[in-house]
Amino acid sequence: MSAPRLELRAVRHSYREADNERSILRGVDLEVRAGETVALVGRSGSGKSTLLHLTAGIEPIESGSVRLDGRELDSMDDHDRTVHRRRHIGLVFQSFHLLPLLTVIENVLLPVELEGRVDAEGLERARALLTTVGLGDRADTHPDRLSGGERQRVALARALIRRPAVLLADEPTGNLDATNADQVLDLILDLARRENTATLLATHSREIASRCDRVVELQDGQLVSNQPA
Ligand code: ADP
Ligand code: MG
């Protein structure tokens, strides 16, 4: 078996509120392999989003380690962490976060644009991804013309444009009806396998979780392994 792409060891995190320190993660260990999709479940407030933010380097880790293809996140400064995130991590959120003034294909190409110029290869990749998510003919439209399911498919194409090693999805189907949720999940599972992306997907839906390769559950700040139904 290949080495894990994503490796979390003894990750701890707490939030300070007034005079209180609330411990959210109390020693989380997790490995996700290339091409594997792991569902992260747990009740609301259990720390799923916090865990994804730490993994993405959006928030610094208090203690423990996050490694991506062996690179240790904690040894990076803020700037390096941002560059690392743009290059190696794709993010999908519940509320899509598309830019309304950009066209669909401009949204998909945004991560490339942030790193420099969009070349022919980038453009071709964006078109191919849009075709894969079933929106090949909507490249020049604006997000406000799209349904929720279509918006999330654009967001997925954007997350994958730079061939990230890791895809982090925070309740990606939370704003979608059952049919669209299924469709978006099918695409995530299919693309993760095809592109060899290690995917961590937070969801409160047991049904969504049961379709992933593996399910882990946050309980009292720790991960409990939990096989798909
Ligand atoms: P989940 O995604 O599983 O619903 P979160 O990771 O969003 O859980 O939140 C875990 C806990 O941490 C919650 O009790 C939440 O209120 C708290 N929390 C999240 N972000 C912050 C913050 N920036 N400051 C203080 N508390 C926070
Ligand atoms: Mg959350």
Side-chain angles (χ1 to χ4, degrees), residues 28-221:
V28 168
D29 296 307
L30 177 66
E31 293 183 358
V32 187
R33 291 176 186 281
E36 186 184 31
T37 300
V38 174
L40 173 63
V41 299
R43 58 171 181 73
S44 173
S46 60
K48 301 183 293 298
S49 295
T50 301
L51 188 61
L52 293 183
H53 292 168
L54 299 178
T55 305
I58 294 170
E59 275 187 76
I61 338 166
E62 191 178 287
S63 76
S65 79
V66 174
R67 281 163 172 268
L68 208 160
D69 283 334
R71 279 181 304 263
E72 170 82 52
L73 212 67
D74 206 40
S75 60
M76 300 177 195
D77 62 18
D78 280 355
H79 171 78
D80 288 351
R81 257 208 321 271
T82 302
V83 172
H84 167 88
R85 178 166 64 249
R86 280 198 198 139
R87 274 203 196 139
H88 305 294
I89 296 178
L91 293 167
V92 176
F93 304 93
Q94 179 171 353
S95 50
F96 324 131
H97 290 325
L98 299 177
L99 298 184
L101 296 180
L102 300 183
T103 63
V104 162
I105 196 157
E106 286 167 351
N107 267 284
V108 173
L109 283 165
L110 195 63
V112 182
E113 191 100 48
L114 288 172
E115 285 284 317
R117 263 169 52 86
V118 174
D119 57 10
E121 196 192 326
L123 204 59
E124 196 182 318
R125 164 105 175 132
R127 291 200 184 283
L129 276 170
L130 280 175
T131 301
T132 303
V133 301
L135 295 171
D137 57 346
R138 309 300 294 280
D140 299 319
T141 195
H142 283 83
D144 63 354
R145 302 286 172 86
L146 302 179
S147 71
E150 289 169 336
R151 286 180 205 192
Q152 195 60 305
R153 288 187 266 145
V154 175
L156 180 60
R158 177 183 58 188
L160 294 173
I161 186 79
R162 301 206 70 235
R163 304 180 194 280
V166 170
L167 176 68
L168 302 174
D170 197 354
E171 308 264 7
T173 62
N175 278 353
L176 306 178
D177 62 37
T179 310
N180 278 298
D182 262 350
Q183 211 175 47
V184 164
L185 183 68
D186 284 341
L187 282 168
I188 291 176
L189 293 170
D190 179 50
L191 281 162
R193 276 172 207 139
R194 246 206 272 181
E195 307 236 329
N196 235 12
T197 314
T199 301
L200 186 56
L201 182 155
T203 180
H204 59 252
S205 159
R206 294 277 162 185
E207 211 176 306
I208 293 282
S210 70
R211 297 193 44 217
C212 295
D213 298 321
R214 194 149 59 83
V215 184
V216 292
E217 178 167 4
L218 263 177
Q219 270 179 24
D220 300 322

